[in-house]
Amino acid sequence: MFKPLNRHVHIELIAENTHKPDTGILLPEDFKPAENRHAMATVITASEDVKFRHLIEKSTRIVVDKAMVEKINFGDESINVVLENYILGIIS
């Protein structure tokens, strides 16, 4: 089990809806639409020293700056963490 330290929060990113309606407009094969800068995530656990830890219990949905999410791979496992500064809000 992973336990975050140093103001980090262990999260699971919520997959974005990637359904795109067929508009009939032809686009180049290498075209990539602009990605959202922010993402929704679910809290798994938080470091003891996160300032607002009492607000983000397990399964709390939050909004994070997607560019600041760190994916850590070790062994056969992969986890996502984000520093408390890049949590922008809580979804109730």
Side-chain angles (χ1 to χ4, degrees), residues 38-73:
H38 303 100
M40 209 173 2
T42 303
V43 173
I44 296 174
T45 188
S47 173
E48 296 286 332
D49 55 356
V50 170
K51 293 176 191 159
F52 48 87
R53 188 167 195 267
H54 64 286
L55 297 174
I56 56 168
E57 300 169 352
K58 183 176 178 141
S59 300
T60 302
R61 291 186 310 156
I62 58 174
V63 176
V64 297
D65 184 335
K66 204 162 51 169
M68 302 313 289
V69 174
E70 295 182 55
K71 185 173 187 175
I72 302 171
N73 297 309

Side-chain angles (χ1 to χ4, degrees), residues 19-51:
H19 174 69
K20 297 175 184 128
D22 185 15
T23 61
I25 299 172
L26 296 177
L27 298 171
E29 288 181 24
D30 61 345
F31 174 78
K32 292 182 182 175
E35 288 190 28
N36 290 333
R37 179 176 171 197
H38 303 100
M40 209 173 2
T42 303
V43 173
I44 296 174
T45 188
S47 173
E48 296 286 332
D49 55 356
V50 170
K51 293 176 191 159

